[in-house]
Structure formats: structure tokens, C-alpha cells
Amino acid sequence: MRFRRRLLFLYVVFCVGIGLVWLRSAQMILVDGEEWSQRALERRQTTERLDAMRGPIVSADGVVLAEDVCQFQLAVVGWEWERRRRSRCTACGMVQFAGITKKPPRRCACPARLRRGGDSKRSDAYPRDDAPVGGTMEELPPGDLRPLEDALEVEPGTLARLANARVAEIEKIVDAYKALLAREAIDSEFLIDDKVRLRRSDLMLRPYVLIDGLSEEAVRLVQTDETGRFRGFRIQTALRRHYPLGDFAPQLLGFTSLIRSTEEYEALFQKFGHQITHSSRVGRAGIEKAHNGYLHGKTGRRKLQLQDGSFSKIVEYEPPVPGGPLRLALHARVTLDVQRILDEAAAKDHGYLPRGRPSGAFVALDADTGEVLVWAEAPRFDLNEDLKDLYDVKRQAIADEKAKVWEPRHPLEGTMDLETWRMQVVMPVPLALSRVAQVAVEPGSTFKPLIALGLLGAGRPISQEGMTCRHGLGMPGCHNCGTVYLEEAIARSCNRYFAWSLRNPASWSVNRRYVAKFIADLGLGQHPGEVAEWSAGQWLWNWHDFTLETAVAHADKVLAKRMGETAPKLRLGRHARVPATVGGDPKRLGRTLATVAEAIARRSGTRSVTLYASRHATEGRDVILQFGMRADTPRTWHLPPDLRQGADALPRAIRGWYPRNAGVQGRMSDRGTVWFNVRFERRVGRAGPGEPPVIRPDDGHNVGIGQGPVLATPLQMARAMAAIANGGTVVTPHVALQGARPLDKHDRDRVQIAAADLRRVRDGMFDAVDGGTARHAPWYEVPATVYGKTGTAQVGRSWRPWRFDEDLDAPWHHWFVGFAEAPGKRTIAFACVLHARTEDGAGLTAVPAVQRILARWYQEQD
Amino acid sequence: MRVMSLGERLKEADWILLALGVVLAVFGVIAVQTAAQGRVDYGGIQMRWLVIGTTVCLLMLAVPYRFVVTWRYLWYAGGIFLLLLVLLIGSGKSAGRWIAVGSFRMQPSEVMKLILVITLAGYIRYETRHRTFRGLFTPFAITLIPFMLIMKQPDLGTALLLIPILFVMLYVAGANRAHLGVVAGAGLAAGLVFFFVPGLLNEYQKNRVRAFLLQDSDDEALRRSHNHQIEHSKTVVGSSSFFGGGTGDETREAIRFLPERHSDFIFPVVIHAFGLGGATLLFMVYLLFIGLLLRTALSVREPSGRMLAVGVATLFACQTVINLAMTVGLLPIVGMPLPFLSYGGSSLLTSFAALGLVLNVGSDHPVEFGRGDFD
């Protein structure tokens, strides 16, 4: 009986267990059923985000500078490509496809199919109505892709190679995924198999773009392919950024590219939230980047529900809202002509990077509002041509070893190697640097009006008396003018007048502070304002980091290889031992440091070169970047001429491309040891809250004539000219008339300039054009009063008495800055610079170019 | 000892019990085919296993169960050998539970469950030592060796299933409840140690327990990660109706994202396809099936036959309750198939073999008798 009772007890326990399950099921279905049904519905739905059309960029005269266009792309679907073996029914002509291992069917199911009215799912060709029944299937030869390849203008065999590579990529991704699941110790084989199968089928069914910008012929071939010849390939459409004028102000307009998965999940996700999709295009530079939020538009949304095994039923639809049109102050037609004029004027250049390419810049601002009216640079690059190989670069990045890391959500997007992308897509990289806003060089004599205003404001001795100059500074280009007054000094560009006025021992201590502050207030040594953002500095966060010690160690090796036993020892000074890392390529930096050290050592014979850097980590990083890795930095940069020559001789020299405000100072000690002192100082401009800007005593002469530590971009000089033109208002240059940022946020700082002082300087600038150094141009063709100042920044060998290497020379920078006034028309402030000149002076090169530009401007205005 | 002929056995066999097993298996084939969603012909494969399983069941009926029990240590040694072999050459991703010979793969842990029942039944039949505390050592040792080996695979669900089989067989055989309580308490404490001491349990196994405890959490991320399976399972069950959505597109779409839907999570498929009504019918079949197994145990007097029937009934009952309970969130998820319904050849073959043994027990009436009762 006890046995029976125990069995009964067990049975009751079992019944209770089953009963509990039943009750729980009943509760879930009958009581909470609605909630669970809702959840089930949500699981059967998916939301797709739809990219919005990016807004166009339009110039002030109505020319479209950038717009989104729809283009055809050739994509491959791995699943179809694998199953491209085909056979045709001899009776009805229907084409069927087989798998990789499957053999094509021997007989066609014509009767059954005809009874059903055709089986269009399995064929691209419908059976003829009068077709006989029960035909045999004959295998067709492999599809010849040559016609399509010819239409695409690619090498024979390219398409098959690309498609096979795509399938191979998928297999690698799937293998990596499988390994990952196994590492995570998923305890069910079926679960792994399911997941892996889903992943594979997902990738194999997803079209992958191989070639974009297809010709009509290629599209027609694929679309009308009835025999499955091009099976696996599909035509799809996509939005592409198009720049109708090609190489029109590319550095200003910038460019876009697909968002990276890291950005999507990290930075940009926070910034744009739901507006980002994995196919979003993001502005990477220039205006495209600065106004990305405005241009991007609002992403649309489509909720799809599972139906017949696929997400095909649309249950909600929210259309994308295109980005707003961005209207610029820039005049496109004039700028196009200015580009041409600039190319012609700069055609005599040599030696400037990229080697042999004309280099120069011109910018014109509305002197009262700061609107950028003209922005022209040389050289330029075609935004359409140089960016179109994005997908090739992607594939290359995927093939790269680093790119084999499996990315969970976007395996293809995620493998985009940023460095590869940067180097290849934006190539040539140096071209992307803006000569108007990012390249700062010595302004030369164009700096003199600013010095004059600064000294006049300080009440310094040049107020009324003239200065007798008999021998100038002993420098080439000095005019030996005799007794000169301020106006004449400006018109003739007297070096001695300004150098000694500033460096006058009696008033030097006051001058150097006041003048430095005044010039800083005019906008030099400061960020010019919200013009556009450039991306160089932005890329740094994703670069590989390394310490300075790494670079120095490599530099030592390079030096030893180059110089043998005479190689100097490169050491890091106390301040250079920053604990933080810097970005970039340590070997590249090492080579650069070695070259600088070699130049120093060969000139001075020193055996010891010490590198000093700022204690501040980011400053240190920025300094180093100047040796070959550019960066958008708010610091001044200065390298004394002897050391600069060394830098100029670098294989990857970036001569003259010193973002303003970065500072590097080199000096020789009395004992013959060269100290290569990398230090950050705001040589001209505000050093920080409460810290007055200073000009060092030994820089006094140089600053007075716009050389030495002084560096300025054309944009800064145009801004300063605008202040002289409008009576002391420092405008903020801006390109967009509408867009992301309201214009009223642009500050308009006032500089205190006495009217009498202003008049004297303006008179001097007028005289410069009317018989002074800028007289060599037919100014009568310009229907406006032009005030200007020439400047020839002579940084070559004939300048420096302490030069060591006669063979080294550095080309000059030819400047012409000023403003033009005309009744009833807006006053424009302009700055023009032609880089790397080796002959003539600015009066013979930059001045005629500006005269033609101004004539063209007023012609357009009329 | 008189050996009954095959004809007598067939005549005496409890055909209702066999019919219930086949009904469950056919039910399983339909459910598996629905779960497969046409990708793989799981239904066809399961049907083949059903035919093979029925054949094995009849073969088991032909062999006197006492012979099977007599050779129990041989089976036991073979089972242990296979488990050791699994550890050496096992396949199946992270959990190496299968031995593959060509295209054929078997799961020794499934067979070991039945072998353990046979071994314990043979050991207990004429023993009284298990009524003492010290006497529990041998049956526990017999159980813990395969337990440890299966845990090592790792297959926590199958390993844990051995414990209730042991306890129930000892309990039914007359072991002292206090003794069993003490051992159970010690085992529980050991389980806690296993859980909290790092390295003894795999992280995913711990996560399942955590997921079970936090399954009603409001944390969406937690539910989607650790509770991925149970969330899907509950969603499928909860979104069912009383009469079900049939085996067509509706059910296929509803179960599309349910992992393991053709094996361990076959019950949500059944309840969604056939509704609460169908599930109730299924429960009744299981109740009847287990009841008939226990009635077989009551109907025979031979001790090893009794213990075999009890052990097999416990095996099926535990598997059924644990599997059903985990699919509706009443228990943590362990890898355990639903007897006769879940996809899997090893599982189905073992189930039919066990059923064949019980049918054998029920149809065999040996002359000799053991003690009248396990008093």
C-alpha cells in the first residue's frame, strides 16, 4: 500500500506541475493576451529609416554649387550570383537557374506550368502561349559579362572578380561571426546554426554596390536581361552629392561621405539622434561640414510588417524631409573668373606643394557685413572626380588586415579604415587645405598699415615727423627713400620706417604691448570666425596615438643612417616629455624630426639637438603635427628662417602651410649648441585671459615689417582691411546667408581708431595704388577708389645674415591687400597672396591680378 | 524462469500506452514541421525517426527486460565510455554533446538517462541498504559519475534530470525521507556554491538563472539580451488564442524569431498552432501517458520491473514538466527536450526505447516474486 501511496503522491506532484503550466498559459493567453499580442506584433515589425535628400548649396547669384542627384549603381547579390548556372527549355524557352552543386533539371515542367498559367517565380522569361509541352532543359554556356563590362568601361573579368570577392568577404564575416558565437559559449548548436544561417542569408541577399554612376547603356543591358546572362547583378538608385561646377572652391565647399559606424553609434548619434541612418552622408569638410545639420534634412521612417515571410507590408510611413537650401554670399560667376585669373597669376610658381602647382589665394569680404563675396584658391581639385572612387577604397579597406575585424551591425561599413579612407578619398590631401583660411604665411609689408595704426594709437613718435632713411636696413628691396612721412612710408613700403618706429628703444616697451594688442584686436592671431569648419583636426581622434619618445627614437635611427657618426643626438627637452600621446604616424614624424635635426646639425656643426615642446598635451600634439601632419589649430606657428629652410627641405614639406598661431621658436645659444625649441606662445594675439600679448625684443624689427614671427592668412588680412575700410569694426567673415547658425551671433568687435589716424593710413594706402608700390596696373579700369598695400614676404637666403647654407633658398609670398569703395556699391575688403614666387615683387604680380579681379567684380555689379 | 514468447508479449502489451506515445510523436512531427518553416525538412526527418523509434520500441518489447537489467553494469560501463568519448571527440560547437559517425550523430547523454534508470532499477530491486544513510552512497555514486561527465560537456539540463530520477526511485523503493532530505539540502548548498564560486559554472548558465529571476524587469536591454529566448517564448505563448492559429502563415510568422523552436521550445509552437485548447488536450495526453506508466509499475510484482516503470515515468514526467515550465517562464531555461515532441533522433529513440521497456515490463509476468512491497 505504501508503494501505491508513494506512486500516487508522485502522480499528484506531476499533475500539479502540469496544472501550474496550464494555469500560467491560460493566464498569459486569456488575461494578459492583449499585451503579449501587442509585443508579438512589435516583434513582427521593423522600422526602416529613409535618408533625406541633402539640401543644395546655392551661390548669391543663383548658381547651384552642390546638390543631390539620383544615380544608378550596379550592385551584386551574393545569393543570386552563386546560383547563376542556367538552362533553357527547348520547348517553351523558359530559363531556370540551379544552385552551385545542384544540377539543372533535365526536363521542363511545361504542362504543369502551363496549366497554372506560368511560373514566373522561377524564371525571368515567360513561356510562349503556343509552346509545346514537356521540353528538355539544355544548359546554357556561362553568362558572358563582356557586353556589360564594355558598357561600364572596365577590364574584362572585373565584374566576376568583384562579385567573387564579395562572396568571399561574406564567408569571412560569417566565419568570424560563428567563431564569436562559439566563444560566447552559446550552449545550443541549433541556436548557433540558426543565427549563422540568418547572418549569412542576410548578407547574401543584401545588394552590395560595386560601381556607381552607370551609363544608360549599362542600365539598359541589366534591366532588359531576359536570359539571366547578368544574373546576380542589379541596378539600384542612390543619392549622390554632385558639384556642378567641379573644381569650384572645393576647399570652401568641402565634401560628404557615408557615415562611419563608430560615428553613428558615438558622436553623431548624440548629435543628430534619430536622424542618422547607416547610409547617411555626413559633411566632412568646409561648408558641407559646418552646416551639416541644416543640409542633412530630416530622416524619414517606414514601419514594415512581416508578410509572406518578408517585411513587405507598410504599416506606417513618414516621408523624409529634404535639407534646406543653403544660400551663400559668395558670387559664383565672379569667383569662377577669379579662379582663372588666380591660376594665370600664380602660374609662375614653383616649388610649392604640391610641387609645380600654382598656389595662391584671393578673398573678398563685404567690409561692412563680413559676407564672403569671393573665395578663390589655387590649386583646386574636382570634388566629383576625386571622391567618386569611394567604393573602391572601401573594398581596399576591407581587404586590409585591420579591416578584418568583425563588425556586428555594419560589417562592410564598419570595416572602413579611416586612415585609408582619408589618404585615398581625399587625395591629394594637401589640396584640401584652404589657402584662404588655413595657410598662414608672413604678410610682409601688408602688415605695415596695421603697425602704423597701432603706433599712432599709442601716440608714438611717427605722428608728425618724418624719418630720414639713408641706408634702410641693408636689405634687398629697401628703397633708400631719404626723409619719409607715414603716408609715403606706406606708399613706398619703407622697411626702415616701420622697423625702427616699432623697435625704437625709447618707446619699445610700450610699443610692443600696445601694438601687439591692437593687432590682435584687428583679428590677427585669432580665429577669423564662423566661416566654415575644416576637418583636418577632427580626424585626429581616430588616429593611432604614440608618444613623442617613439618618434624621437625613430628619428635617431634615421639620423644614424643618414649621417653616420656625425649624427647629432636628438633629445627631448624637459618640457617635451609630455606624458600624453600625440596623433599621427610616429615614423613619419620621426623622419621629419630627423630632417630638421640634420639641417640644424649641418649648419651649426652641433652634436646635440634638443626638442622642446609645450607641457600641454594637446598643444604638443599640434606642434608636432606641423611637421607634416596638418591640423586645424588656433595656435601661431613660427620657425626662424634658418630652421624654416630645414623644414622646407623636408620630403613632405609643408612650407608656408602653418596654421596661424602655432609657435615654434628656434635659436642658437652662444656656445654653438642649437636649440630647437618647440614652444607654444601666442606671439601676436591674446595669450589667454589676463595675459597680455607681447612681441619679443629680438622680433621687433621683423614684426614691424610683417616678417619674423608674424603669420597671417588672407582671410585675416582681409578682415583687418575691412576694419580700416569701415572705420574700426572687425567683422566676422561668413559665407552662408542662411543656414545652421543665425547671423546675429557673429560678433562685430570695435577697435578704437582715431579718425585722424585712420585718414593718414588710408591716404597712405591710396597713395600706394596711386603712384606707390601698387601702381603697376591699369587702375582706371576699376570704377572705384582702391586703397591697397603690397607686400613681398622675402623669406629667402638673401635675407638672413646668419644663414649657413647658401644653396638653400625659400620662395617669397606676394601679397596685395586693401579695399575698394564706390558710390552706391558695397565696400569690399580683399586680400590676395601668391605663394612661392622667386622673382619680381607683389607690385608686378599680385597687384595686376587684383586689378583684373576688381574690374571683373564691378563689371558684374553693373 | 519462464520466458514469454514474443507472441505472448505482443498480446499482453499495453497498446494504449504505445498508441499514446505514437500520438505524441505524430503531434511532434506536425509541430516540428510547422517550426521548420520550410527551410529544412525537419518534419520528414522526425517522421523517419518516429518509424525507427517505433521499431526500436517493438524490439525492446521482444527482449525480456530482465535480461536488460541483468546486464545493467555492461550498459552502464558503455554509457560512461560514450560520455568520456564525447569529452574527447564530441562535436556540437561549444557544447560538445554529440558523437558523429559519418552523417549519423548520437547524443550519449540522452541514452545515459535510460541506462541510469536500468542500472538503478537493477541495483535497488533486492537491496535494502538504501534505507540507511550510508547505503545511499552507492546509488548516489552510480548517479554522480554520469552527472559529472554530462555537466562537463556542458549539458546542465540533462545532468540535473538525473537527480530527480535517483531521488524518486530511492523514495519509491523505501528510502528514508529524512535521509533524502538531508542529501537534498546538501545538494542545494552545493548548487549555491557552484553558482557563486567563479569558474564552476559557465557564465551563460549563470546568466540564465539571473535572467529567470529578472524576467519581469522593466529593463528593456536586459530583457533583450539575457532574456532573449524566454521573452520570445512567452510572447509566442501569450499571443496565442484558445483555438490556435493553425499551422499556416500566421503561426509561422509568429514563431519566426523564436530560437530553438523546433527542439526545446516546441511547446510555444504547439500552443500557438493549436491554441490553449490544443495545449490542454496535449496536457491530458501527457497525464494519461504518465498515469499509464505508473499503473504499469503498480501492475507488476517483479521489483526491477517496477523500478524500471517508475524510473521511466519519472524521466518522462520530469522532462515534461521542466520543459513546459521553462517555456512559460516558471523555471530557468535549460537544454531539455519535450519527450516525443521535440526534434531530435537521440531523444526520440531513447523515449521509444524507454517506452518499449515499460511495455515489456507490463507484458511480462515472471513466475518469481520479490517482496510484496517496498515496505
Side-chain angles (χ1 to χ4, degrees):
Chain A
M1 288 301 289
R2 188 176 293 178
F3 179 66
R4 180 184 292 270
R5 278 205 306 274
R6 287 181 179 181
L7 287 189
L8 189 62
F9 172 71
L10 289 176
Y11 191 62
V12 169
V13 169
F14 174 69
C15 291
V16 168
I18 292 287
L20 281 175
V21 173
W22 187 89
L23 283 174
R24 171 70 168 155
S25 304
Q27 180 228 344
M28 289 170 72
I29 295 170
L30 303 177
V31 181
D32 304 330
E34 202 167 318
E35 183 189 338
W36 288 111
S37 297
Q38 185 59 35
R39 282 197 200 181
L41 184 66
E42 287 171 6
R43 286 187 192 282
R44 290 206 297 272
Q45 291 176 339
T46 184
T47 302
E48 270 186 3
R49 297 206 179 281
L50 307 170
D51 284 326
M53 186 175 265
R54 201 172 169 84
I57 300 175
V58 186
S59 71
D61 47 353
V63 178
V64 176
L65 304 178
E67 61 183 343
D68 265 15
V69 294
C70 192
Q71 68 168 5
F72 290 110
Q73 297 175 324
L74 184 71
V76 64
V77 180
W79 190 88
E80 290 181 0
W81 175 253
E82 274 192 337
R83 291 159 179 77
R84 62 186 179 280
R85 286 182 66 190
R86 58 201 176 131
S87 52
R88 189 205 304 265
C89 174
T90 53
C92 67
M94 191 194 73
V95 177
Q96 287 192 15
F97 298 95
I100 308 168
T101 55
K102 265 188 191 173
K103 289 181 181 175
R106 289 185 179 177
R107 294 196 67 81
C108 178
C110 298
R113 194 176 63 256
L114 291 174
R115 274 199 300 277
R116 292 200 305 271
D119 185 3
S120 58
K121 282 184 182 176
R122 301 191 60 191
S123 168
D124 291 342
Y126 291 93
R128 300 192 304 271
D129 292 339
D130 57 345
V133 295
T136 56
M137 302 295 290
E138 64 172 7
E139 187 165 356
L140 293 173
D144 183 6
L145 303 177
R146 278 297 292 276
L148 183 57
E149 286 168 340
D150 289 343
L152 294 170
E153 296 178 355
V154 296
E155 293 289 317
T158 304
L159 289 179
R161 179 172 52 78
L162 292 178
N164 288 332
R166 164 66 181 157
V167 173
E169 283 165 18
I170 291 173
E171 295 302 341
K172 282 181 189 171
I173 293 167
V174 170
D175 285 346
Y177 181 56
K178 207 169 177 179
L180 181 84
L181 291 181
R183 277 203 303 278
E184 285 183 354
I186 304 294
D187 70 324
S188 163
E189 183 169 4
F190 290 118
L191 191 60
I192 290 178
D193 287 347
D194 266 359
K195 280 174 172 272
V196 169
R197 193 165 49 246
L198 278 174
R199 166 69 62 183
R200 189 175 188 283
S201 60
D202 178 42
L203 292 173
M204 291 293 277
L205 290 170
R206 189 188 299 177
Y208 178 76
V209 176
L210 297 179
I211 297 170
D212 57 3
L214 303 184
S215 63
E216 287 183 10
E217 173 65 11
V219 175
R220 188 188 61 77
L221 277 173
V222 179
Q223 297 287 48
T224 58
D225 174 30
E226 290 187 347
T227 59
R229 188 182 202 177
F230 306 124
R231 182 177 168 83
F233 297 106
R234 281 187 191 173
I235 299 293
Q236 61 182 38
T237 55
L239 292 172
R240 183 173 69 88
R241 198 65 169 162
H242 178 61
Y243 301 89
L245 298 184
D247 67 347
F248 179 87
Q251 294 92 344
L252 175 65
L253 291 180
F255 53 89
T256 63
S257 76
L258 284 176
I259 191 170
R260 295 181 290 270
S261 57
T262 46
E263 291 173 327
E264 184 182 355
Y265 288 116
E266 294 170 9
L268 290 178
F269 190 83
Q270 299 298 324
K271 197 170 175 182
F272 298 112
H274 67 279
Q275 294 190 15
I276 290 297
T277 74
H278 67 277
S279 57
S280 288
R281 287 160 300 148
V282 181
R284 296 293 180 194
I287 291 172
E288 294 276 21
K289 180 179 180 184
H291 298 274
N292 186 60
Y294 179 78
L295 291 167
H296 182 270
K298 190 181 174 191
T299 305
R301 200 168 63 91
R302 188 167 63 173
K303 190 179 270 188
L304 300 169
Q305 191 167 310
L306 203 61
Q307 189 177 47
D308 298 331
S310 64
F311 289 101
S312 54
K313 183 181 177 185
I314 300 174
V315 289
E316 275 181 41
Y317 179 65
E318 186 182 318
V321 179
L326 187 68
R327 189 163 158 262
L328 306 185
L330 200 69
H331 287 250
R333 280 193 286 269
V334 176
T335 301
L336 274 174
D337 288 340
V338 172
Q339 285 185 169
R340 184 175 46 78
I341 294 169
L342 200 62
D343 285 346
E344 292 170 7
K348 291 179 181 177
D349 290 355
H350 82 279
Y352 207 71
L353 285 179
R355 298 287 179 191
R357 300 283 294 270
S359 181
F362 177 86
V363 61
L365 308 177
D366 185 317
D368 296 316
T369 63
E371 291 174 7
V372 177
L373 306 173
V374 179
W375 180 301
E377 301 184 31
R380 298 174 300 278
F381 58 97
D382 191 331
L383 286 164
N384 301 314
E385 292 299 316
D386 292 328
L387 300 177
K388 74 176 185 182
D389 58 344
L390 182 62
Y391 292 109
D392 289 335
V393 177
K394 267 187 181 181
R395 278 194 298 278
Q396 187 167 343
I398 290 162
D400 189 78
E401 192 61 34
K402 283 187 292 185
K404 288 176 183 169
V405 180
W406 177 73
E407 187 78 16
R409 185 170 165 192
H410 304 302
L412 299 176
E413 298 297 330
T415 50
M416 187 69 199
D417 176 58
L418 188 63
E419 181 70 6
T420 309
W421 180 84
R422 184 185 71 83
M423 291 301 293
Q424 300 201 23
V425 176
V426 196
M427 279 299 280
V429 174
L431 291 175
L433 200 63
S434 170
R435 265 77 167 162
V436 170
Q438 286 180 294
V439 175
V441 295
E442 296 85 347
S445 295
T446 59
F447 205 59
K448 289 171 183 171
L450 312 184
I451 292 288
L453 282 172
L455 291 171
L456 288 170
R460 286 305 136 191
I462 62 168
S463 55
Q464 295 298 331
E465 298 85 4
M467 177 179 286
T468 302
C469 173
R470 291 197 176 84
H471 50 76
L473 288 174
M475 296 176 289
C478 209
H479 311 292
N480 290 327
C481 309
T483 302
V484 293
Y485 295 91
L486 174 63
E487 294 82 349
E488 194 177 356
I490 293 175
R492 293 188 179 190
S493 196
C494 179
N495 287 330
R496 179 180 170 81
Y497 186 95
F498 288 98
W500 285 105
S501 295
L502 181 66
R503 189 61 183 87
N504 186 339
S507 54
W508 165 244
S509 60
V510 178
N511 285 354
R512 66 175 184 162
R513 285 187 171 79
Y514 184 84
V515 171
K517 181 177 182 307
F518 175 79
I519 290 172
D521 288 346
L522 274 179
L524 275 84
Q526 297 178 22
H527 195 281
E530 299 294 339
V531 177
E533 293 177 19
W534 281 268
S535 56
Q538 304 301 317
W539 289 334
L540 290 173
W541 64 273
N542 213 13
W543 282 19
H544 300 291
D545 287 346
F546 62 92
T547 61
L548 284 177
E549 282 83 353
T550 312
V552 169
H554 186 74
D556 273 334
K557 290 180 185 175
V558 175
L559 277 175
K561 195 174 177 181
R562 288 182 187 172
M563 301 180 68
E565 292 181 356
T566 60
K569 179 65 181 171
L570 187 63
R571 293 183 301 191
L572 278 173
R574 183 165 51 87
H575 297 311
R577 298 191 182 282
V578 287
T581 57
V582 295
D585 179 1
K587 288 188 176 179
R588 185 176 170 185
L589 175 59
R591 285 196 301 271
T592 307
L593 290 178
T595 305
V596 173
E598 185 183 4
I600 293 167
R602 288 195 190 282
R603 287 173 201 161
S604 64
T606 183
R607 301 295 299 274
S608 172
V609 176
T610 307
L611 174 70
Y612 281 92
S614 165
R615 293 178 186 180
H616 196 281
T618 56
E619 289 178 348
R621 182 193 65 183
D622 287 347
V623 166
I624 299 307
L625 290 172
Q626 309 317 313
F627 284 99
M629 290 160 282
R630 61 198 171 71
D632 188 18
T633 168
R635 305 286 172 181
T636 50
W637 167 269
H638 169 63
L639 200 63
D642 53 337
L643 299 181
R644 181 187 298 125
Q645 287 180 350
D648 291 341
L650 301 180
R652 290 172 179 266
I654 53 164
R655 174 185 163 59
W657 290 10
Y658 306 134
R660 54 183 207 84
N661 279 1
V664 171
Q665 178 196 4
R667 68 181 174 84
M668 288 182 296
S669 75
D670 296 333
R671 297 174 186 173
T673 303
V674 174
W675 290 62
F676 182 59
N677 187 5
V678 184
R679 180 183 297 168
F680 264 92
E681 290 178 0
R682 305 295 299 266
R683 305 302 302 277
V684 175
R686 295 191 182 92
E691 188 178 346
V694 293
I695 301 173
R696 287 170 176 265
D698 49 353
D699 289 333
H701 296 100
N702 289 338
V703 171
I705 57 174
Q707 307 252 11
V710 182
L711 296 166
T713 64
L715 191 62
Q716 288 171 325
M717 290 306 295
R719 196 182 180 205
M721 290 301 119
I724 296 177
N726 63 29
T729 300
V730 182
V731 296
T732 300
H734 54 273
V735 186
L737 292 179
Q738 60 191 80
R741 296 182 177 88
L743 296 180
D744 54 5
K745 283 191 177 176
H746 295 186
D747 297 330
R748 291 160 61 92
D749 295 333
R750 287 285 304 178
V751 183
Q752 292 302 322
I753 306 175
D757 299 343
L758 193 63
R759 190 173 58 248
R760 294 190 67 187
V761 171
R762 289 170 66 129
D763 286 349
M765 293 175 68
F766 179 82
D767 291 346
V769 175
D770 187 22
T773 54
R775 66 184 181 280
H776 300 293
W779 289 108
Y780 54 84
E781 292 178 359
V782 179
T785 307
V786 180
Y787 303 80
K789 182 71 193 81
T790 58
T792 304
Q794 297 155 313
V795 293
R797 61 182 177 182
S798 56
W799 249 96
R800 306 301 174 191
W802 55 78
R803 64 186 184 275
F804 295 97
D805 190 343
E806 292 291 338
D807 295 332
L808 288 178
D809 196 0
W812 305 340
H813 307 293
H814 289 187
W815 285 83
F816 185 55
V817 302
F819 55 94
E821 292 176 335
K825 295 190 172 67
R826 53 171 69 179
T827 301
I828 60 168
F830 59 84
C832 175
V833 63
L834 304 174
H835 296 299
R837 310 298 301 197
T838 54
E839 55 188 15
D840 300 333
L844 297 174
T845 55
V847 170
V850 171
Q851 182 272 332
R852 291 173 63 192
I853 291 170
L854 290 179
R856 174 70 184 87
W857 168 260
Y858 284 105
Q859 181 189 348
E860 179 76 13
Q861 297 304 303
D862 292 338
Chain B
M1 184 174 69
R2 187 180 74 89
V3 177
M4 293 178 70
S5 67
L6 182 59
E8 288 174 316
R9 285 176 197 282
L10 290 173
K11 194 175 177 183
E12 292 291 327
D14 188 348
W15 289 105
I16 298 177
L17 195 56
L18 177 61
L20 285 178
V22 173
V23 164
L24 284 172
V26 170
F27 206 58
V29 170
I30 298 168
V32 164
Q33 185 61 29
T34 306
Q37 300 201 322
R39 283 186 184 170
V40 184
D41 187 17
Y42 285 134
I45 299 170
Q46 186 77 343
M47 192 67 206
R48 268 176 258 162
W49 284 116
L50 169 58
V51 174
I52 297 169
T54 312
T55 310
V56 168
C57 181
L58 294 175
L59 284 176
M60 294 299 286
L61 185 61
V63 181
Y65 74 88
R66 281 167 293 165
F67 289 165
V68 176
V69 173
T70 304
W71 293 95
R72 59 186 178 276
Y73 291 119
L74 182 64
W75 314 131
Y76 186 78
I80 296 297
F81 174 74
L82 288 175
L83 289 179
L84 286 170
L85 206 60
V86 166
L87 294 180
L88 295 176
I89 61 167
S91 64
K93 313 300 178 295
S94 59
R97 300 171 185 172
W98 281 266
I99 293 176
V101 182
S103 61
F104 175 77
R105 295 197 316 164
M106 71 169 294
Q107 194 175 355
S109 58
E110 285 292 328
V111 183
M112 193 64 215
K113 290 187 288 194
L114 182 59
I115 290 176
L116 181 71
V117 169
I118 295 169
T119 310
L120 287 176
Y123 174 78
I124 292 173
R125 59 178 174 176
Y126 298 126
E127 286 285 346
T128 55
R129 277 182 292 178
H130 57 267
R131 297 183 183 182
T132 65
F133 191 76
R134 190 176 291 178
L136 293 176
F137 176 79
T138 307
F140 269 91
I142 289 171
T143 308
L144 284 179
I145 292 171
F147 175 85
M148 300 299 285
L149 291 173
I150 295 172
M151 277 283 281
K152 187 72 182 168
Q153 289 180 0
D155 187 355
L156 184 65
T158 307
L160 287 178
L161 187 61
L162 304 183
I163 304 300
I165 292 173
L166 170 70
F167 271 77
V168 167
M169 290 182 75
L170 287 173
Y171 170 67
V172 171
N176 190 314
R177 276 178 290 188
H179 295 164
L180 293 176
V182 170
V183 175
L188 201 62
L192 291 175
V193 170
F194 264 73
F195 188 81
F196 288 108
V197 176
L200 295 177
L201 274 184
N202 284 328
E203 200 55 36
Y204 80 87
Q205 292 168 330
K206 293 180 185 177
N207 281 340
R208 287 183 169 183
V209 178
R210 292 187 193 117
F212 168 71
L213 297 174
L214 300 170
Q215 62 178 304
D216 293 325
S217 163
D218 293 331
D219 187 345
E220 183 72 13
L222 181 82
R223 287 216 310 269
R224 283 180 181 273
S225 54
H226 293 331
N227 293 337
H228 174 74
Q229 277 177 290
I230 190 63
E231 271 293 302
H232 276 294
S233 175
K234 283 162 67 177
T235 305
V236 174
V237 173
S239 59
S240 308
S241 60
F242 188 83
F243 296 106
T247 57
D249 288 342
E250 189 201 326
T251 302
R252 288 185 181 184
E253 285 175 9
I255 63 172
R256 182 182 173 88
F257 303 108
L258 176 65
E260 298 284 301
R261 55 184 172 271
H262 59 309
S263 56
D264 292 357
F265 283 81
I266 194 72
F267 175 65
V269 178
V270 171
I271 199 167
H272 202 281
F274 304 106
L276 186 61
T280 308
L281 196 65
L282 179 72
F283 292 165
M284 290 172 71
V285 173
Y286 269 118
L287 286 172
L288 187 59
F289 182 72
I290 300 296
L292 288 177
L293 287 175
L294 292 178
R295 192 190 69 171
T296 305
L298 278 174
S299 68
V300 294
R301 304 289 293 172
E302 198 277 319
S304 61
R306 276 187 165 185
M307 293 315 297
L308 267 180
V310 169
V312 169
T314 308
L315 177 66
F316 286 144
C318 287
Q319 269 189 257
T320 306
V321 171
I322 292 172
N323 179 282
L324 294 175
M326 79 178 186
T327 57
V328 294
L330 291 176
L331 284 177
I333 293 175
V334 288
M336 189 173 292
L338 187 60
F340 296 104
L341 262 75
S342 289
Y343 174 81
S346 299
S347 168
L348 199 62
L349 274 186
T350 310
S351 298
F352 271 109
L355 180 59
L357 267 182
V358 176
L359 290 175
N360 196 328
V361 170
S363 63
D364 198 353
H365 299 292
V367 177
E368 70 259 42
F369 290 87
R371 294 181 306 281
D373 210 337
F374 291 101
D375 297 333

